[in-house]
Amino acid sequence: MTLLYQKIAGIIEQQINDGVFRNGEKLPSIRQLSQRFSMSIGTIQQAYVELEDRRLITPRNRSGYYVDCPQNIISTATPTIESISPTPSKVDVLEMAIAVMTAARDESLVPLGSATPNVSGLAIRQLHQSIKSVASRTRNFNEDPQGYLPLRRLIAQRSPAMGKAFNEKEIVITAGCQEALTFALKCISQAGDLIAIESPCYYGILQILEVLGRKVVEIPVSPESGIDLGGLEDLLVKFPVKGLILSPSFSNPTGYPCSDETKQGILELLKKYDLPLIEDDIYSELGKNETRVRSIQSFDREGRVILCSSISKTLCQDLRIGWMVPGRYLKEARLLKFATTLYSPSIMQMALADFLSTQRLERHLRLVTVDYAKRQGILLRLLRQHFPQETKASRPKGGFISWIELPLPLDGTRLYHQALAEGISITPGEIFSPTRQFKNFIRLNYAIADEEVMEFAIKKLAALLLEQ
Ligand SMILES: Cc1ncc(COP(=O)(O)O)c(C=O)c1O
């Protein structure tokens, strides 16, 4: 049970993490907070002592409490991106990615390695009921390759929340976002073509690029400031790219910020250089405390953006239900779906339609986005308490993943192997770049492990780093 003073400490910690109170800044007095929260002076005093224990604040003689996170404080620092050599490269991450994914699926390990959401809530039980209730209704006749119409309608009905509305005729249901991304790449390019990707980039995208024989050029993204439009234009001038893949809404792994202005700026560049964009939108509904963001596709009036998404991060990845809104590539996408798998499994499509037909997903998202924000604070605190001082970690405004830079010469891949031997799965940073840029980075999932388990794992990882 969380005690009152811990709750207050948690709120202030979150504000420090979010930059509301910056390093060196004076915090409100105990009396002010006691009035603001309608709580006793003693409770606020205890909260401040707790924050001192968390190494976040210090009292100054007769002057009150101040935020005291040394210059290298984890939660406000930005992982640096090495200036990436902008040379087109072949992708070769498949073997390592498969090993990492296999480890991440091992249920005996502490699950910090996968990008899996928390599936322990009421919504999952309701989803199971939906699956049971539709299972007896199998029809055994060929579905439209674009997918089950009622499901497409329900997805379309959710679309105004993301900006521009699209309708059911514009959607193709796929086997997860992964299949949508694969079809999208096939729609816009051929083997040997050059594709611009984020760096770091979700390794699942690198796998597709490798299997399809595409070459890539990396666009540096900063977890703190996102994509630099000038840098992007330089890259587009210099390289004959056939298209871009971006995940501008809480990307995996950095969760970099991308304002509506930047999104529109990216679209302007796409128009200027007449290029298509594949937009991976899978995390967009996981904004901290329900913050909603718009997709680049929602600004697009020419059908040059292919939106790809799924239910895997918002609800459950086992359904293997995703979708794409292929814009001007609708005909090709429909054909690819038909030629590859005929259509996605009807039972899962019907179950998801049944689930989405009430407000269950909205309720679920309200709960998990608050929970993930809280868990992010816990992870940052644990890192601050136990990891080397110069460690830096992202604090994305959505999703459930933190991208962590270890001070050199610490090695993220070595830590990954050490951690596996100790029963903990993490993801090594180097698989997020075809040119293996991020050897001293790791990615951690904070959605699943309970606080005690997370504490055990972070302490263990810190001890393993001492052995390096
Ligand atoms: C950014 C991103 N895109 C796509 C996927 C694949 O999603 P799905 O399970 O729906 O195929 C993932 C899964 O981790 C992801 O993180």
Side-chain angles (χ1 to χ4, degrees), residues 246-450:
L246 298 177
S247 183
S249 304
F250 319 128
S251 81
N252 171 5
T254 64
Y256 68 85
C258 195
S259 63
D260 281 358
E261 290 73 44
T262 307
K263 286 177 179 170
Q264 284 167 294
I266 292 171
L267 190 61
E268 287 310 312
L269 288 176
L270 296 175
K271 284 187 201 166
K272 185 168 171 187
Y273 296 95
D274 193 19
L275 290 169
L277 167 71
I278 299 170
E279 181 173 16
D280 184 340
D281 197 48
I282 195 167
Y283 290 96
S284 69
E285 292 192 82
L286 289 172
K288 252 186 196 174
N289 304 324
E290 285 189 277
T291 321
R292 301 307 300 258
V293 290
R294 283 186 68 162
S295 60
I296 299 181
Q297 190 263 355
S298 72
F299 296 105
D300 177 24
R301 300 285 170 265
E302 300 173 340
R304 65 172 70 244
V305 180
I306 304 180
L307 187 86
C308 300
S309 193
S310 81
I311 201 77
S312 300
K313 307 298 168 190
T314 43
L315 185 63
C316 174
Q317 68 187 25
D318 288 349
L319 290 185
R320 304 310 305 139
I321 297 288
W323 55 90
M324 61 196 294
V325 185
R328 59 174 74 159
Y329 304 94
L330 179 61
K331 203 166 145 218
E332 291 94 321
R334 197 171 186 278
L335 228 151
L336 277 166
K337 181 65 192 171
F338 186 58
T340 313
T341 43
L342 294 182
Y343 56 92
S344 288
S346 301
I347 292 183
M348 291 310 172
Q349 294 191 71
M350 288 160 67
L352 183 58
D354 183 73
F355 180 87
L356 291 179
S357 63
T358 62
Q359 291 296 304
R360 284 174 283 202
L361 185 58
E362 279 64 30
R363 270 200 301 274
H364 175 63
L365 289 175
R366 267 200 298 280
L367 293 175
V368 289
T369 52
V370 172
D371 185 48
Y372 293 158
K374 200 172 113 209
R375 285 161 173 275
Q376 186 189 83
I378 293 170
L379 175 69
L380 290 175
R381 165 161 40 91
L382 292 170
L383 291 170
R384 195 184 296 115
Q385 284 171 339
H386 303 291
F387 264 42
Q389 263 223 338
E390 299 76 16
T391 304
K392 297 170 185 173
S394 65
R395 48 191 167 83
K397 291 196 164 31
F400 46 77
I401 279 165
S402 189
W403 178 239
I404 295 158
E405 180 181 10
L406 305 168
L408 285 165
L410 293 175
D411 182 329
T413 305
R414 186 159 165 218
L415 183 63
Y416 156 74
H417 289 295
Q418 289 171 294
L420 274 188
E422 295 290 341
I424 302 167
S425 84
I426 64 171
T427 310
E430 72 169 290
I431 60 169
F432 294 89
S433 158
T435 48
R436 308 281 161 122
Q437 296 281 328
F438 303 102
K439 282 196 195 288
N440 62 318
F441 284 69
I442 55 171
R443 186 195 72 181
L444 298 182
N445 174 340
Y446 48 79
I448 316 172
D450 291 337

Side-chain angles (χ1 to χ4, degrees), residues 60-129:
R60 286 191 201 160
N61 254 350
R62 278 191 253 151
S63 157
Y65 280 91
Y66 287 77
V67 179
D68 183 13
C69 303
Q71 58 286 10
N72 291 324
I73 177 192
I74 287 173
S75 53
T76 56
T78 307
T80 51
I81 307 262
E82 299 288 333
S83 62
I84 290 164
S85 107
T87 341
S89 36
K90 263 191 74 196
V91 188
D92 175 20
V93 294
L94 205 50
E95 254 173 55
M96 188 163 185
I98 288 172
V100 170
M101 269 159 83
T102 309
R105 270 203 307 270
D106 184 340
E107 285 182 298
S108 68
L109 302 178
V110 177
L112 306 184
S114 68
T116 314
N118 194 327
V119 290
S120 60
L122 171 68
I124 297 301
R125 290 198 295 281
Q126 291 170 330
L127 176 66
H128 292 164
Q129 277 163 9

